[in-house]
Amino acid sequence: MMKSMEAAEGSPIFNLLLPEFLLNALVLASDALRIANQNSGRKLFRWNLVSESGGAVRASNGMWRDVDCSLEQMPVGTHYILFEGNLPTQHNSAKLLNALRAAARFG
């Protein structure tokens, strides 16, 4: 993981997308953050999409979603949201679990 993000505006939130993630959950989560920013008149939150490899991820409805970075490129942050599908442990790799452990330890 990279060095911690020190931003002037907005708490960084990293949305980790696993294969077969539920697109409606991602839409609801990001829209809630967007509305909080809009209603406050400030940028309280900012978010990035992350996948294990840095490549696009297939949602449960078959749509593909591009991401901003891979697990290795993901800076240390304070908030992480994991989006998985109906079989959540099916895609838990050692790489993902190690990244989550590091985030818990250093984030």
Side-chain angles (χ1 to χ4, degrees):
M1 288 188 177
M2 295 170 63
K3 205 173 174 184
S4 179
M5 290 183 95
E6 299 296 329
E9 288 189 51
S11 296
I13 298 174
F14 297 99
N15 297 316
L16 286 77
L17 306 182
L18 270 59
E20 302 300 318
F21 73 94
L22 301 176
L23 184 61
N24 61 337
L26 177 62
V27 169
L28 292 172
S30 59
D31 216 32
L33 298 172
R34 180 194 63 77
I35 291 169
N37 286 346
Q38 180 180 332
N39 288 345
S40 72
R42 299 180 314 168
K43 191 170 188 175
L44 299 173
F45 303 102
R46 58 190 166 85
W47 53 95
N48 291 339
L49 301 178
V50 180
S51 73
E52 187 168 335
S53 68
V57 183
R58 185 180 184 274
S60 62
N61 65 354
M63 293 178 68
W64 289 85
R65 182 66 175 100
D66 288 329
V67 299
D68 301 309
C69 64
S70 69
L71 287 175
E72 288 89 14
Q73 298 167 324
M74 181 177 67
V76 174
T78 56
H79 298 86
Y80 302 85
I81 304 173
L82 187 59
F83 291 89
E84 298 183 290
N86 293 326
L87 301 170
T89 59
Q90 179 177 334
H91 299 287
N92 287 354
S93 67
K95 190 176 188 180
L96 172 67
L97 296 175
N98 288 336
L100 292 174
R101 287 183 193 108
R105 200 172 319 125
F106 303 113

